[in-house]
Amino acid sequence: MYRELGLSVKRTRRKHLRRTLQPRPVLAAPNQEWALDFASDVTAAGQRVRVLGVIDSFTRQCLVLETATSFPSRRVTRVLERAIAAYGKPQSNRSDNGPELTSRHYLAWTIKWKIDLVHIQPGKPTQNGGMESFNGKLRDECLNTSWFWNLFDARRKISAWKTEYNSRRPHSSLGYLTPDEFARQWRFVSPCYDPCRSAQRGRASHLQDAQGHRRASLQIDQGAARFSALQPARPEPKFAANGSRCAQSPICSSCAVREGYRKRPEKRASHRLPDFALLLKNSVASAPLPIPSGL
């Protein structure tokens, strides 16, 4: 009856986020893919804390384990920039569909740094299995076994667990090596891989996209290095027997001002006595005083 009279209310279906399944790449080197995810816990005072974890999917090394009360997208990008400065720029980031990792700021940041985004399908955490396994270890070995008094205590204990995970805990998929040992062996086997150079390339490409003056800056740096190489080395100052600086020791004016040593200024030529006047003065000073005849 309601349908015939046109009184039925139309029900709008909720729009669900749909992601296409992307095949997992075959990882063969570090910094090919980073995995991101969040974990949460509560302190003794009832304050909720969140933990941002970032791992390298190839070396299984924990790159970031940041603890805070909240993680807006701008804070996430700041943490990732510090990780890029230390380990190099990744080719892609794999994460879930959280609001921090799907915001406009985060998407613009990845485009700016030329990093591919790989979002898993909703409701399928197994597509980011490496990060889920890491979160399970973090919760079983640190979050569930530790009592956090406050946020600073949580940061200290979680940071200590990160050091133990990277340097003391062997991993079965790495041949029972720790992530740090596996990364060092990979760096020794593949000398072309250098995280410092990778970080420099990431920063250089970022500056090239932002300013467009990378070539000019390199020329300026090379010219400054060439100029500094041609400069003679500054001689070391000489000291007298009593520990004071010798007056004949060569020293620049800036070092003299900084070290409290000032060179005595020379007198002007106009203040100097001529030679004949100097001889007259010496002769008068050396001659005996005349004695009066009446005494």
Side-chain angles (χ1 to χ4, degrees):
M1 183 184 297
Y2 279 90
R3 189 177 303 171
E4 293 177 357
L5 296 177
L7 300 177
S8 59
V9 180
K10 295 182 179 179
R11 297 181 180 180
T12 57
R13 295 184 177 180
R14 183 179 178 182
K15 296 181 180 179
H16 295 277
L17 179 63
R18 296 182 179 181
R19 300 279 189 185
T20 57
L21 178 61
Q22 299 184 10
R24 292 294 301 269
V26 179
L27 303 179
N31 290 341
Q32 284 190 350
E33 183 182 88
W34 287 4
L36 293 76
D37 202 0
F38 294 92
S40 60
D41 204 349
V42 181
T43 62
Q47 185 181 18
R48 191 171 186 84
V49 296
R50 301 189 69 190
V51 183
L52 170 62
V54 180
I55 65 171
D56 193 318
S57 300
F58 179 74
T59 62
R60 305 300 175 91
Q61 192 176 13
C62 179
L63 310 179
V64 174
L65 207 58
E66 188 80 8
T67 307
T69 55
S70 62
F71 277 98
S73 59
R74 295 185 181 274
R75 182 163 190 168
V76 173
T77 54
R78 287 198 302 267
V79 172
L80 291 178
E81 286 180 359
R82 291 200 301 265
I84 289 174
Y87 300 99
K89 187 183 71 171
Q91 297 180 7
S92 62
N93 286 348
R94 179 176 291 271
S95 62
D96 55 6
N97 300 277
E100 305 89 355
L101 304 176
T102 55
S103 62
R104 294 181 179 179
H105 172 75
Y106 182 74
L107 298 178
W109 181 84
T110 54
I111 294 175
K112 184 178 181 179
W113 281 85
K114 298 181 180 180
I115 300 176
D116 297 335
L117 281 180
V118 181
H119 288 104
I120 64 175
Q121 292 179 318
K124 294 185 178 181
T126 55
Q127 296 180 3
N128 196 8
M131 193 67 209
E132 294 297 332
S133 176
F134 175 81
N135 282 344
K137 295 182 180 66
L138 173 64
R139 184 163 299 279
D140 294 339
E141 301 175 6
C142 182
L143 301 182
N144 291 345
T145 59
S146 302
W147 184 266
F148 304 134
W149 293 104
N150 48 34
L151 178 62
F152 302 101
D153 186 39
R155 287 176 177 173
R156 181 178 60 85
K157 293 180 180 179
I158 292 175
S159 178
W161 183 87
K162 173 191 172 184
T163 304
E164 180 182 359
Y165 175 85
N166 284 335
S167 59
R168 303 174 187 172
R169 178 192 175 96
H171 208 287
S172 59
S173 63
L174 303 178
Y176 291 97
L177 296 175
T178 61
D180 289 346
E181 292 176 352
F182 182 78
R184 284 194 297 268
Q185 287 189 5
W186 177 262
R187 195 178 302 115
F188 177 76
V189 173
S190 301
C192 59
Y193 168 72
D194 190 356
C196 298
R197 293 182 179 179
S198 181
Q200 292 175 1
R201 286 196 299 268
R203 289 192 293 269
S205 62
H206 172 62
L207 293 175
Q208 182 183 7
D209 298 336
Q211 301 176 1
H213 301 294
R214 180 168 176 262
R215 181 177 301 176
S217 63
L218 289 177
Q219 292 178 356
I220 293 173
D221 294 341
Q222 293 175 0
R226 193 180 301 109
F227 176 77
S228 61
L230 294 176
Q231 293 296 319
R234 192 185 73 175
E236 297 183 358
K238 300 178 182 179
F239 293 89
N242 57 357
S244 60
R245 188 186 298 275
C246 180
Q248 297 180 356
S249 175
I251 184 170
C252 62
S253 59
S254 60
C255 296
V257 174
R258 183 175 65 250
E259 300 181 9
Y261 173 80
R262 297 180 179 273
K263 190 175 181 181
R264 188 174 181 180
E266 298 181 357
K267 294 183 179 180
R268 296 181 180 178
S270 60
H271 293 171
R272 297 179 181 177
L273 296 176
D275 296 338
F276 67 90
L278 184 61
L279 293 175
L280 180 61
K281 182 179 178 181
N282 295 336
S283 62
V284 171
S286 61
L289 295 176
I291 301 175
S293 59
L295 296 177

